[in-house]
């Protein structure tokens, strides 16, 4: 996708000058930026326009905002003999050999291999994996420049998937050349020329959204200059300055959105000020353990918030097993003692049922639901009633539950997120706790408000989110972090095994199952759709049943994303009840299922998952009193992948892994852009703490003076924020 392939000229704009001066067809001034690129006088064929649209380039403005992900610096090529492994470099020379080759298992991957030599005669090997078509575009004897990271192959420097450019055609050489992400059938050169043309003609019509004073405060170039320079800079310094400016815009837009959302939640109505009567403390005193320091701090944050009439909006973040539930329950009991209702909502029925049992156990000492859901607690003046409400709650119970919720008989309501949809009315909801729901967004919040006035809101997540990211993506929530595990946990032993040792993992698994324990097998993340993923899981399931454990055939269960929710829940129940010994699953198992008897996990194709995700998976074992093991299997890992897997094996700290992941793979891959509603930032880095803080302060100041961005000088900001918000919302659904 990213290769700067140079395909033969198609219907590119170089052929002849446009006959008609197309600009005349476009509106005057900035309005031209909203015009279709098809009307912008580019001489491109319809199929090329289709491909541009596939890249998201529909208007002239879109083209100006399609930023290159890097620049080729052909001015700074080095002699082949001086290539250094591990650095991005450029060489120029002649191709000695170019051929299509077959690689990988069974020769299924078609690739291009080439050798280039420079004047000194030194040679370097180049491989373009999975890109056989390059062998048809490049021929021996051609002069080319090749640019990319240099890695070692059999001890010698080589290029893998570098960008390249044919030399001697007189175009685009000798300066910094932009490289854009491509789509199939769209040559780099065509895209480059189209964008260059539009930048040339239209960049000066861009209106700068930033007030001049803000630009001056942060020493940012204006938008026209930044746009010109990000595409065609004269120096690396210009690229840096342009990037910083454009990143500032993106982050500021996000901050305006989240700060406004937070303020709107907090000013939308009064929440009950829940006075502390020692209930939380009295409950904690009944537990067989003391809170960790981190749990204590988080609870104090929460109790402080709910003591005020401003609705709480807080994210409670803590690694799996860090003890978020008791913290939340202590706060819920405070609300109940003050005469309010509290809810705990989970993403699936299984998790809701599990939470219900956990709460029953914590309050009554028994996991079975108490009669009528009533629990008598020494520190409460009257019995407390807990009800559970999920999609499978039967009609009579459902009516009873709804009545109890509406007329105040129910103090604590545990359910799925469906609690805030449909016909549930609360009598006086004081606190709503939402577990593992990263997407608990604007819509759900307003739904919640309709159900129960202005409750306090606590969102819990086990995804370790670095602070900088939390401040952007979840910037509408205050943050409490439980960064400490309760003492005395048996650590999960993690090993990564090369292919020749995979038997060890399955032998260990058999051993554990014979001892009465259970196991998870996580299937590799294959490229492609849900259907492809599900097929891979089904294949693994068959392999285990037919080859690995034929004797356990009927005790192996399968879980994948294409199964209906009900069936998924049934499989989970079967596994939780130890009717199945092995659960084969795609990544859907990630969310907090608690099966303390599961002690072994095998992750197939572990090199394809992110570090934070592997950490989440392994948190499914090690939840009981037996020691647990997690095996990471990888068929053909690259040296980098081996390094990453051994990092997971060595590191128990989810935050450290998430941070490493973010640096290695970027936020979209780390947290799943779709899943988390993470904006896909074009230029900004979510690791740039300094710029994040700066834009946060600016957004707060702007909104202090003009909460709805109504002032004339803020109209640019308003449009900017709307554009970015649209982007974010579009990805959440
Ligand atoms: P999380 O939801 O954060 O993954 P849980 O709330 O499920 O974690 O807690 C995991 C386990 O640890 C539970 O069995 C809980 O009772 C126990 N636990 C919680 N806090 C402590 C503590 N301070 N000391 C010992 N055990 C604790
Ligand atoms: Mg939990």
């Amino acid at each position: 996708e990213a290769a700067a392939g140079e395909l033969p000229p198609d219907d590119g704009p170089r052929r002849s000058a446009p006959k008609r001066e197309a600009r005349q067809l476009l509106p005057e001034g900035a309005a031209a930026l909203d015009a279709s690129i098809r009307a912008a006088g580019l001489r491109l064929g319809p199929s090329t326009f289709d491909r541009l649209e596939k890249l998201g380039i529909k208007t002239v403005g879109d083209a100006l905002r399609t930023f290159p992900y890097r620049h080729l610096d052909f001015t700074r090529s080095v002699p082949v003999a001086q290539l250094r492994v591990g650095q991005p470099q450029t060489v120029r020379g002649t191709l000695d050999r170019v051929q299509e080759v077959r690689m990988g298992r069974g020769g299924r991957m078609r690739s291009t291999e080439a050798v280039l030599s420079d004047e000194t005669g030194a040679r370097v090997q180049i491989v373009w994996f999975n890109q056989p078509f390059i062998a048809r575009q490049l021929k021996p004897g051609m002069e080319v420049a090749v640019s990319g990271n240099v890695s070692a192959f059999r001890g010698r420097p080589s290029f893998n998937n570098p960008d390249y450019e044919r030399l001697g055609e007189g175009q685009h050489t000798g300066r910094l050349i932009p490289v854009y992400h491509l789509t199939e059938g769209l040559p780099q050169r065509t895209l480059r020329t189209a964008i260059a043309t539009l930048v040339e003609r239209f960049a000066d019509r861009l209106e700068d959204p930033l007030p001049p004073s803000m630009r001056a405060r942060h020493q940012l170039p204006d938008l026209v200059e930044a746009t010109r320079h990000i595409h065609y800079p004269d120096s690396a310094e210009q690229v840096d300055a342009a990037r910083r400016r454009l990143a500032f815009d993106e982050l500021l837009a996000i901050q305006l959105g989240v700060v406004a959302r937070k303020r709107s939640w907090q000013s939308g109505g009064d929440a009950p000020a829940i006075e502390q009567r020692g209930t939380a403390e009295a409950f904690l005193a009944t537990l067989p353990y003391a809170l960790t320091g981190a749990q204590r701090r988080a609870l104090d944050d929460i109790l402080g918030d709910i003591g005020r009439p401003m609705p709480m909006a807080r994210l409670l973040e803590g690694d799996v097993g860090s003890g978020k539930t008791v913290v939340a329950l202590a706060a819920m009991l405070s609300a109940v003692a003050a005469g309010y209702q509290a809810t705990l909502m989970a993403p699936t029925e299984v998790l809701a049922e599990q939470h219900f049992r956990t709460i029953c156990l914590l309050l009554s000492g028994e996991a079975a639901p108490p009669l009528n859901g009533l629990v008598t607690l020494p520190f409460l003046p009257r019995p407390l009633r807990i009800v559970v409400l999920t999609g499978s709650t039967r009609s009579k119970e459902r009516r009873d539950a709804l009545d109890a919720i509406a007329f105040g008989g129910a103090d604590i309501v545990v359910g799925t997120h469906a609690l805030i949809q449909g016909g549930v009315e609360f009598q006086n909801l004081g606190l709503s706790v939402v577990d593992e729901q990263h997407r608990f967004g604007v819509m759900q919040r307003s739904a919640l408000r309709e159900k129960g006035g202005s409750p306090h809101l606590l969102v819990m997540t086990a995804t370790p989110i670095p602070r900088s990211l939390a401040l952007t993506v979840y910037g509408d929530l205050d943050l409490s972090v439980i960064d400490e595990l309760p003492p005395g946990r048996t650590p999960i032993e993690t090993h990564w095994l090369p292919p020749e040792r995979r038997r060890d993992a399955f032998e260990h698994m058999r051993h554990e199952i014979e001892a009465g324990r259970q196991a998870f097998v996580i299937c590799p993340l294959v490229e492609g759709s849900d259907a492809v993923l599900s097929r891979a899981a089904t294949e693994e399931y068959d392999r285990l049943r037919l080859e690995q454990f034929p004797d356990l055939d009927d005790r192996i269960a399968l879980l994948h994303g294409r199964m209906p929710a009900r069936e998924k829940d049934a499989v989970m129940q079967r596994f939780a009840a130890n009717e199945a010994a092995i659960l084969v699953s795609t990544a859907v198992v990630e969310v907090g299922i608690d099966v303390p008897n599961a002690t072994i996990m095998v992750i197939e194709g572990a090199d394809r998952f992110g570090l934070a995700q592997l950490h989440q998976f392994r948190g499914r074992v090690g939840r009981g009193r037996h020691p647990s093991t997690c095996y990471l299997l990888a068929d053909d890992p690259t040296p980098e992948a081996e390094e990453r897997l051994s990092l997971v094996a060595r590191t128990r700290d989810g935050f450290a892994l998430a941070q490493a992941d973010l640096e290695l793979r970027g936020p979209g891959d780390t947290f799943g852009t779709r899943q988390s509603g993470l904006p896909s930032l074009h230029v900004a880095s979510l690791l740039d703490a300094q710029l994040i803080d700066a834009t946060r302060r600016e957004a707060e100041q702007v909104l202090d003076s003009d909460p709805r961005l109504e002032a004339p000088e803020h109209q640019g900001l308003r449009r900017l924020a709307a554009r970015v918000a649209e982007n974010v919302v579009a990805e959440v659904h």
Side-chain angles (χ1 to χ4, degrees), residues 324-325 355 435 623:
K324 296 183 289 295
T325 318
H355 272 313
D435 194 21
R623 303 179 76 84

Side-chain angles (χ1 to χ4, degrees), residues 70-251:
R70 59 172 294 209
H71 291 84
L72 302 182
D73 186 355
F74 291 128
T75 61
R76 289 207 208 154
S77 59
V78 300
V80 169
Q82 287 175 21
L83 283 176
R84 293 258 175 291
V85 170
Q87 291 172 20
Q89 286 151 99
T90 302
V91 293
R92 296 156 168 260
T94 311
L95 290 171
D96 294 341
R97 208 178 70 209
V98 183
Q99 64 195 36
E100 184 184 322
V101 291
R102 291 177 174 274
M103 316 181 143
R105 273 195 296 168
R108 268 178 300 186
M109 186 176 27
R110 295 164 61 209
S111 304
T112 298
E113 214 173 71
V115 174
L116 173 144
S117 61
D118 65 8
E119 303 107 19
T120 69
R123 312 168 92 199
V124 61
Q125 152 130 344
I126 308 164
V127 188
W128 287 277
F129 295 101
N130 244 332
Q131 298 174 75
F133 53 87
I134 292 179
R136 296 193 292 278
Q137 289 152 24
L138 296 179
K139 296 281 167 277
M142 278 181 182
E143 300 272 315
V144 295
V146 170
S147 184
N149 229 337
V150 177
S151 51
F153 177 70
R154 301 211 173 108
R156 310 187 46 196
S158 89
F159 286 97
N160 292 345
N161 299 331
D163 293 307
Y164 65 95
E165 182 80 15
R166 276 174 68 182
L167 299 177
E169 294 202 329
Q171 216 188 351
H172 297 328
T173 44
R175 51 192 287 209
L176 290 163
I177 313 295
V179 184
Y180 302 94
H181 287 293
L182 297 175
T183 185
E184 208 177 327
L186 183 68
Q188 186 68 242
R189 182 184 291 271
T190 304
L191 181 58
R192 227 176 245 162
T193 313
I195 292 179
T197 309
L198 297 175
V199 168
E200 181 64 28
R201 288 190 195 159
F202 296 107
D204 57 2
R205 303 209 194 174
L206 288 163
E207 288 172 351
D208 200 320
L210 300 189
S213 57
M214 198 188 288
R215 235 162 51 212
R217 250 192 316 279
H218 301 278
Q219 283 138 35
L220 300 166
D222 69 43
L223 184 61
V224 172
E225 182 181 322
T227 303
R228 290 187 185 285
H229 284 170
I230 193 131
H231 292 286
Y232 285 95
D234 294 324
S235 66
E237 291 71 37
Q238 283 186 351
V239 184
D240 290 345
R243 266 189 201 289
R244 188 163 163 274
R245 156 65 210 246
L246 296 162
F248 189 94
D249 287 13
E250 283 184 345
L251 291 172

Side-chain angles (χ1 to χ4, degrees), residues 341-396:
Q341 294 171 302
T343 62
L344 175 55
M345 294 188 265
T348 65
E349 290 192 7
V350 173
L351 290 177
E353 295 285 349
Q354 188 176 291
H355 272 313
F356 178 63
R357 285 193 300 273
T358 304
I359 290 183
C360 291
L361 187 65
L362 283 167
L363 294 181
S364 71
E366 313 221 357
L371 199 62
N372 296 325
L374 287 171
V375 187
T376 306
L377 295 169
F379 50 85
L380 288 182
R382 60 172 176 83
L384 160 147
R385 182 155 180 218
I386 318 170
V387 305
V388 60
L389 186 65
T390 70
S392 54
T393 309
R394 293 286 139 246
S395 50
K396 165 146 182 2

